[in-house]
Amino acid sequence: MALTYTYWISTALLSLLYFASALMYIAKGAFVRQAQAELGYASSHLVPFMIVVKILGPAAILWRFNVALSDLAYAGIFYHLVLSGLAHLGVRKPKGAIPAAVGLILLAASFATQNAARDIASPYAPAVTAIQTPLN
């Protein structure tokens, strides 16, 4: 039961992080483009693409109509968070890497506990084992 709670809480918080980020990309487009330019990215084509990705990735994990697509979303989010954190560290702005670090922790918790909470197991997530108690 604890694994199920861990899955849903971490997945909800990760999704909230991504949906809030997508909303910020939409609402504060000029600020986001400036921040992307400071990181060295050409943001004119990147921002619209990232809005779509930041909505569809968590949606694929939450909806999970296809396990393979859900696992692909986990992988995509993993790479995005790692690269985002490294980009901020690369320009010596470690505070900008904090959301990526939090996201990685939430992602790891969600991925590791997904088989405990979902009916169809992912072949790549760790297997759920029952806790054995000693016999008296």
Side-chain angles (χ1 to χ4, degrees):
M1 189 61 128
L3 292 177
T4 302
Y5 287 135
T6 301
Y7 171 75
W8 285 111
I9 291 169
S10 61
T11 305
L13 290 173
L14 178 67
S15 298
L16 182 64
L17 177 72
Y18 265 73
F19 292 146
S21 177
L23 185 62
M24 186 183 74
Y25 274 45
I26 293 168
K28 297 185 177 188
F31 170 77
V32 171
R33 284 180 177 80
Q34 164 113 20
Q36 294 287 337
E38 289 174 6
L39 293 173
Y41 296 108
S43 60
S44 60
H45 300 327
L46 184 63
V47 171
F49 175 72
M50 288 306 300
I51 291 170
V52 171
V53 169
K54 286 179 180 239
I55 293 170
L56 293 181
I61 292 171
L62 287 171
W63 190 13
R64 197 171 178 166
F65 62 91
N66 183 316
V67 176
L69 190 60
S70 175
D71 286 343
L72 182 63
Y74 274 115
I77 290 172
F78 171 76
Y79 287 116
H80 170 257
L81 291 171
V82 168
L83 294 173
S84 172
L86 290 175
H88 284 91
L89 292 175
V91 295
R92 291 183 170 72
K93 293 185 178 183
K95 287 184 182 178
I98 292 173
V102 170
L104 281 170
I105 292 167
L106 294 171
L107 181 76
S110 175
F111 183 77
T113 58
Q114 68 177 318
N115 284 348
R118 296 294 192 146
D119 292 333
I120 302 172
S122 168
Y124 301 107
V128 178
T129 58
I131 298 173
Q132 297 181 0
T133 58
L135 297 174
N136 292 334

